[in-house]
Amino acid sequence: MIQLHSVSKIYGAGAGAVTALSDVSLTIAENEFFTLLGPSGCGKTTLLRMLAGFEVPSRGAIVLDGRDIADLPPNRRPINTVFQNYALFPHMTVAQNIAFGLQSLGRPRAAIKARVAEMLALVAMEHLADRKIAAMSGGQQQRVALARALAPAPRILLLDEPLSALDLKLRRQMQIELKRLQAETGITFVFVTHDQEEALTMSDRIAVMGAGLLHQVASPRDLYDRPANRFVAGFIGEGNFLPVHVRSRDGALARVTIAGADLTLPAETLPAGEMQALVRPERIVLAPAGGTGGLHLSGVVENLVYIGTDTHLHLRLPDGAQITARIGNGDPHLQGLAPGARAALAVPSDALRLVPA
Amino acid sequence: MSLADARPADLAAPPARQAEARKSRREARTRWWLATPALLTIAALSLLPLCIVILYSVLERDSYGGILWALSGEAWIEVFFQRDIFEGTLAPAGAHLAILWRSIRLALITTGLTLLIGVPTAYFIGTRPAHTRNLWLFAITVPFWTSLLIRIIAIGELIRRDGLVNAALLQMGLIDEPLQMLFTDFAIGLGMTYVYLPLMVLPVYAAVQRLDPRLMEAAYDLYASRARTFWRVILPLIRPGVIAGSLLVFIPSLGDYVTPRVLGGGSNLMIGNLIELQFGQGRNWPLGAALALTLMILIGLALIPCARLLRGKAAPHG
Amino acid sequence: MARRFDPQTLPGFGAIAALAFALLYLPLIVLVTYSFNAGDLIGRWEGLSWRWYAQALSNAAIQDAALRSLVLALVAAALSTALAVLAALATTRADQFRPRHAIAAVINQPLVVPEIVMAVALLLLFSMLRQATGLSGMGYLLAAHVTFCIPFAYLPVRARLEGMDANLERAAADLYASPLTVFRRITLPLLAPGILAGFMLAFVISLDNVVISQFIKTAGQETLPTYMLGQLRRGISAEIYAVSTMLVGLSLLILTLSFLVNRTRP
């Protein structure tokens, strides 16, 4: 188990100081596939480099097994990294690359040999053991990098956007492969990516970061269904954000107006302060106007975009806001809709999520 | 597109290609004309004279200087052996061999010392922040572009009997009387190390600059110590620069003439001085030519292992 | 707060670099310092003075050698740079021109021959020529200097040309410029810093040459370096230090200029 206690990182000093990471606390469990997700510059790489030992936190502690390792150099931490561009040693063979860490640790020759063979088998590269790195494809290099980092059996494996250099097909394949490796080795994986789909596919838990702040740590499903704030809701999946006006709040119920439509909701679903309503496009249905239960909206069709299984329906609401719905192409209400026509949409209550603005 | 459309284009194609061939021939001719003056100069004043050296090395010596137009292998024999004047028997030319050996030894020592100092220096410069790196590099090249002779005079000044180094050592109480450093092999080695150090630093620096710092990070991430990272990751990757630097230092050291003349005094000769002697007091031009070629051959021999080292494990950066 | 772990730092390398810079600069600093020494004895500091400079500048032999060295270096640099520019134009930006590597190798050939060998080779050639033609004079020294300066002038010119965008010349040609106009209005101005750098390098190389000049010169053809080498036999005088300091200053000035000029990348 590794814990970060109020970790901050500030580059420079005085007026020119830049805060890369601000007061981040989190706990990564044993044998977890944990992902740091966020746009570039959000601090996720800084965090990863602190775990690896290439950066030292300005404040806070990094605790592994009850010991603060924040000041420990990288070569004295039981943590290995799969680098973004793999950083494989170009002057060594595949097997020499994999053996490097074990040799550094001074393991006996026979043990190294056995472990290298084991690792080569793990990533299905036995036949390429004596090849030079330059002769490897991107996917093969990826596997070597994994085997090299896993060979010393680290407590934690850090992966710094390891799939970004691969094409889409190979990336999908490697996502499954990584998940399998994690399950087989039982090692805690800390994975950094800016690709939300990648994060949702593989992770046990995801930490969403933005501008040096940790916004939410949750399972993929919770992140999607119950985002903690507007940033998380906007970053994960697609969403419509509608203005919310709270008219009254008495006891257990609150009366609100969302995009011009009145609604009564359980008061406990309302966050404190300013808020917006998140509506996922696929949770919206085409329905006759004036139905009851949930949120009912009507407006003018601006555009219809056919995307294969579904159609994206862009609707302009009376208050000027635009809303996007994703409607299955089998829906009979879709027939006859054209730009300029009026259409009515319904959002079930459980598909409405009020998030702090 | 119909066949009828295609035909005129097909018919037009061959003349177009001929025009293109004419154009590239014309361009090639222009290029040859442009290169000719430089090529002729080098051919006449560098390649041709080298051929004359080869020729002279197999001619007979004229004892008043110059040569006689008769073939003779005597000069090559004299490089390694001396003939007894009365009996005509051959014995190893002890003086020549000693000078050859001193040249090789001093050139190797110089290469070793420049490696020892130059590689860390080049690495240090290569890992400075980008905006200060050029300044460091400039600082290395300044001594390189100041006259070799002046630099050798300067180092001689430092190590004279009453020079600054002796004065400092006396002051510190490390020695009781001044050391004789000038006019020794030590002086020659020190002088050549000083003079040729930039030739080691520059190519190694170029290689260091191409190093990917991620590879060092990867080594430390895999539990390597600083020493292990240097020997197993950094050094193998900058090896082409190290080999180039070693050659750039070894070649002029082996053939050096000015350094041993100024710092070695009259007695500590190297090949270069031996060659000069043959054209001066020695009046043995064929031997001088043969010695010059011996020097070229020694350099050729040094190139072979370097070429093999470069080819053997040349790893392109991935 | 602990220091960041710098994966590029190696312990002791900074200290060795400091030693290297001390080794490189200490002798020069001492030499320059003693050139201003008031005393007769080298090695004993007796206060600041210009006397050695005054003495050196009024020494007829030094004046003669210095003038010869400067003229020789100027002419040799100009000629070798002209040849090098033409050769560089012939051997760059021409992927289809197969012999360009061979031509470049021939032009760089003087770089791979030890100076002493080239000196001997030229001595033999010139002694044959002197005998055959009866001509003597500065021409021999000049021809030798031009030859070994060519590769030094060639390198920066070629580097500059290779960094130049051939599309600029194509664009000029596209705008109806004749090949000569393209060269005069586009290529030459863009190439100018490279040519200047090549000229300066060649000038410094010629100015500093000892070995080849020493072998080829005849009586009354002393250059500054050969004069200094000859004077060393009689023991070093502070006069030599003053001359050296002026020469170092000149080289430094030229090097700084070429550094500044070459900073403007194409």
Side-chain angles (χ1 to χ4, degrees):
Chain A
M1 187 173 80
I2 190 157
Q3 288 174 304
L4 278 74
H5 295 297
S6 306
V7 169
S8 295
K9 179 71 186 178
I10 297 148
Y11 291 107
V18 177
T19 306
L21 217 54
S22 165
D23 202 26
V24 170
S25 294
L26 56 83
T27 301
I28 300 168
E30 213 61 48
N31 196 11
E32 189 173 25
F33 198 122
F34 192 89
T35 298
L36 299 170
L37 175 67
S40 58
C42 71
K44 59 187 191 296
T45 301
T46 304
L47 193 56
L48 194 81
R49 290 175 64 78
M50 281 182 187
L51 291 174
F54 296 119
E55 302 281 355
V56 176
S58 310
R59 273 196 297 275
I62 300 172
V63 178
L64 177 67
D65 301 331
R67 195 159 74 105
D68 185 358
I69 59 163
D71 292 338
L72 224 53
N75 51 4
R76 286 170 52 200
R77 305 179 179 210
I79 297 173
N80 292 143
T81 308
V82 175
F83 290 85
Q84 185 163 11
N85 294 313
Y86 317 135
L88 295 170
F89 303 125
H91 56 296
M92 298 182 193
T93 64
V94 169
Q96 286 169 336
N97 263 282
I98 298 174
F100 189 89
L102 298 163
Q103 287 166 342
S104 302
L105 289 169
R107 297 281 157 77
R109 199 174 287 262
I112 293 175
K113 210 174 160 215
R115 183 69 178 162
V116 168
E118 193 186 331
M119 286 297 118
L120 283 167
L122 188 69
V123 295
M125 297 275 289
E126 300 100 318
H127 55 299
L128 298 172
D130 296 321
R131 288 276 187 89
K132 274 282 166 77
I133 294 306
M136 302 269 116
S137 72
Q140 288 170 328
Q141 294 195 10
Q142 168 76 78
R143 286 158 189 275
V144 179
L146 270 165
R148 183 179 73 172
L150 284 170
R155 290 290 316 278
I156 299 168
L157 184 75
L158 307 176
L159 302 104
D160 186 6
E161 308 226 11
L163 307 182
S164 57
L166 304 179
D167 63 46
L168 187 65
K169 195 169 159 223
L170 207 51
R171 196 152 65 215
R172 292 259 159 81
Q173 212 176 307
M174 283 309 297
Q175 287 172 4
I176 298 165
E177 182 91 8
L178 277 177
K179 195 74 185 145
R180 173 184 73 82
L181 282 172
Q182 198 258 334
E184 260 177 47
T185 56
I187 291 171
T188 306
F189 277 32
V190 179
F191 187 91
V192 159
T193 183
H194 62 269
D195 183 335
Q196 47 144 320
E197 189 197 313
E198 205 164 273
L200 294 173
T201 313
M202 293 191 286
S203 318
D204 294 324
R205 282 193 308 152
I206 300 171
V208 181
M209 300 180 63
L213 293 169
L214 180 61
H215 285 283
Q216 188 175 8
V217 182
S219 70
R221 177 168 292 275
D222 281 352
L223 272 188
Y224 193 80
D225 291 342
R226 281 186 284 280
N229 58 31
R230 168 74 221 265
F231 178 85
V232 176
F235 195 73
I236 306 281
E238 314 221 328
N240 296 290
F241 293 95
L242 303 173
V244 178
H245 172 62
V246 181
R247 283 181 289 130
S248 69
R249 206 194 285 242
D250 47 330
L253 290 179
R255 296 149 81 80
V256 298
T257 304
I258 299 174
D262 291 348
L263 202 63
T264 304
L265 291 171
E268 77 228 24
T269 61
L270 267 63
E274 291 290 302
M275 67 192 84
Q276 281 183 312
L278 163 69
V279 179
R280 298 287 185 195
E282 73 277 8
R283 299 295 305 273
I284 303 175
V285 292
L286 274 171
T292 53
L295 179 67
H296 289 264
L297 303 164
S298 65
V300 179
V301 177
E302 290 223 311
N303 206 354
L304 288 156
V305 181
Y306 176 78
I307 56 158
T309 55
D310 302 313
T311 292
H312 278 164
L313 172 66
H314 300 284
L315 202 71
R316 177 73 61 190
L317 299 177
D319 63 353
Q322 204 195 40
I323 187 166
T324 301
R326 183 170 175 152
I327 310 295
N329 281 331
D331 191 326
H333 298 290
L334 208 55
Q335 304 302 320
L337 274 186
R342 289 197 69 81
L345 302 175
V347 182
S349 311
D350 66 335
L352 263 181
R353 171 102 191 138
L354 300 180
V355 294
Chain B
M1 193 169 79
S2 73
L3 266 177
D5 288 334
R7 192 154 291 148
D10 280 349
L11 288 174
R17 280 203 294 274
Q18 269 177 12
E20 186 159 3
R22 247 199 325 274
K23 182 167 177 279
S24 85
R25 265 205 306 277
R26 200 163 53 228
E27 196 196 298
R29 210 159 41 230
T30 313
R31 288 183 181 279
W32 274 115
W33 277 119
L34 288 170
T36 299
L39 286 178
L40 275 182
T41 310
I42 304 234
L45 292 164
S46 187
L47 297 175
L48 173 70
L50 282 177
C51 296
I52 297 176
V53 175
I54 296 174
L55 177 68
Y56 268 51
S57 77
V58 292
L59 291 179
E60 207 162 287
R61 95 183 249 209
D62 181 344
S63 22
Y64 301 103
I67 40 93
L68 300 172
W69 289 99
L71 280 181
S72 159
E74 194 63 24
W76 281 101
I77 294 173
E78 277 181 64
V79 171
F80 303 103
F81 300 100
Q82 53 194 17
R83 198 180 285 280
D84 188 289
I85 310 169
F86 302 109
E87 298 173 18
T89 50
L90 290 174
H96 287 186
L97 292 180
I99 290 170
L100 283 178
W101 171 234
R102 173 187 290 118
S103 304
I104 294 171
R105 194 168 51 96
L106 282 174
L108 285 176
I109 288 173
T110 301
T111 310
L113 284 174
T114 52
L115 273 172
L116 229 52
I117 305 171
V119 171
T121 305
Y123 185 85
F124 176 81
I125 296 174
T127 52
R128 290 309 93 201
H131 56 280
T132 58
R133 214 180 292 160
N134 270 345
L135 220 59
W136 285 102
L137 205 61
F138 183 70
I140 282 284
T141 42
V142 165
F144 179 60
W145 290 120
T146 44
S147 159
L148 178 119
L149 177 62
I150 292 172
R151 284 185 291 151
I152 292 169
I153 294 174
I155 201 112
E157 164 64 40
L158 267 186
I159 60 172
R160 277 171 339 117
R161 253 186 108 73
D162 48 356
L164 218 61
V165 171
N166 266 325
L169 289 176
L170 284 169
Q171 190 82 46
M172 286 189 282
L174 290 173
I175 50 173
D176 293 329
E177 55 182 88
L179 294 174
Q180 178 60 46
M181 289 181 280
L182 200 55
F183 308 139
T184 63
D185 282 1
F186 167 80
I188 301 175
L190 177 71
M192 294 200 300
T193 302
Y194 162 53
V195 167
Y196 299 125
L197 183 60
L199 291 174
M200 177 66 78
V201 173
L202 295 175
V204 176
Y205 162 79
V208 168
Q209 241 196 339
R210 285 195 298 269
L211 266 182
D212 179 359
R214 294 249 163 183
L215 294 175
M216 277 95 98
E217 286 190 358
Y220 292 119
D221 189 65
L222 293 162
Y223 314 107
S225 61
R226 299 260 180 201
R228 181 168 157 79
T229 302
F230 177 72
W231 289 108
R232 291 296 311 277
V233 178
I234 296 171
L235 202 55
L237 289 173
I238 61 173
R239 189 164 65 183
V242 173
I243 291 172
S246 303
L247 279 178
L248 285 177
V249 170
F250 182 79
I251 292 174
S253 312
L254 191 64
D256 204 343
Y257 158 78
V258 179
T259 313
R261 174 161 167 181
V262 177
L263 298 178
S267 53
N268 299 58
L269 301 185
M270 287 176 65
I271 306 179
N273 312 93
L274 188 59
I275 293 172
E276 197 226 4
L277 265 182
Q278 308 316 316
F279 293 93
Q281 306 152 2
R283 300 205 175 173
N284 194 342
W285 290 22
L287 176 58
L291 283 167
L293 291 173
T294 306
L295 173 62
M296 295 277 283
I297 291 167
L298 284 175
I299 287 167
L301 289 178
L303 285 172
I304 295 170
C306 291
R308 189 174 303 149
L309 268 175
L310 274 180
R311 197 166 349 106
K313 286 187 184 168
H317 283 235
Chain C
M1 189 183 111
R3 290 260 320 268
R4 190 178 84 91
F5 180 86
D6 184 350
Q8 296 203 34
T9 303
L10 289 170
F13 276 34
I16 296 177
L19 179 82
F21 280 103
L23 178 66
L24 287 177
Y25 281 94
L26 196 61
L28 283 177
I29 291 169
V30 168
L31 180 125
V32 170
T33 310
Y34 276 122
S35 75
F36 293 105
N37 191 2
D40 281 326
L41 275 172
I42 295 173
R44 185 175 308 148
W45 183 250
E46 290 179 21
L48 267 176
S49 148
W50 288 99
R51 61 177 283 208
W52 297 112
Y53 287 85
Q55 192 173 322
L57 289 173
S58 60
N59 180 331
I62 290 178
Q63 284 173 2
D64 174 64
L67 184 66
R68 185 171 295 106
S69 268
L70 285 175
V71 172
L72 184 64
L74 270 177
V75 179
L79 287 176
S80 59
T81 307
L83 297 182
V85 169
L86 296 181
L89 285 169
T91 52
T92 44
R93 302 189 298 175
D95 296 335
Q96 316 89 329
F97 185 57
R98 288 279 168 76
R100 69 184 192 285
H101 292 300
I103 294 177
V106 171
I107 286 169
N108 284 325
Q109 183 267 341
L111 289 179
V112 297
V113 179
E115 250 190 320
I116 184 83
V117 176
M118 188 160 176
V120 166
L122 284 168
L123 171 71
L124 297 183
L125 174 74
F126 290 165
S127 72
M128 283 170 103
L129 284 177
R130 280 195 187 105
Q131 234 166 18
T133 62
L135 290 172
S136 60
M138 283 291 290
Y140 296 109
L141 212 46
L142 179 62
H145 277 236
V146 169
T147 308
F148 66 71
C149 283
I150 287 175
F152 287 98
Y154 175 72
L155 289 176
V157 177
R158 192 174 75 155
R160 182 87 188 177
L161 261 174
E162 270 169 356
M164 261 165 59
D165 186 357
N167 279 333
L168 295 171
E169 281 136 309
R170 291 199 194 107
D174 185 57
L175 295 166
Y176 317 110
S178 68
L180 208 64
T181 312
V182 172
F183 181 75
R184 202 166 47 80
R185 298 275 312 271
I186 309 292
T187 316
L188 208 52
L190 286 172
L191 196 52
I195 297 176
L196 200 58
F199 176 84
M200 287 166 172
L201 277 191
F203 181 82
V204 172
I205 291 288
S206 165
L207 193 67
D208 289 345
N209 184 274
V210 204
V211 180
I212 292 172
S213 304
Q214 173 76 9
F215 271 69
I216 292 168
K217 67 161 185 26
T218 50
Q221 289 187 346
E222 294 286 359
T223 64
L224 210 43
T226 64
Y227 170 80
M228 287 162 65
L229 190 65
Q231 288 304 103
L232 287 179
R233 283 191 202 283
R234 295 170 209 172
I236 299 171
S237 87
E239 200 181 45
I240 293 289
Y241 288 1
V243 176
S244 298
T245 301
M246 290 189 275
L247 214 50
V248 168
L250 185 61
S251 295
L252 195 62
L253 181 74
I254 290 167
L255 182 63
T256 310
L257 281 179
S258 86
F259 177 74
L260 293 176
V261 164
N262 241 23
R263 259 203 331 203
T264 60
R265 284 279 103 214

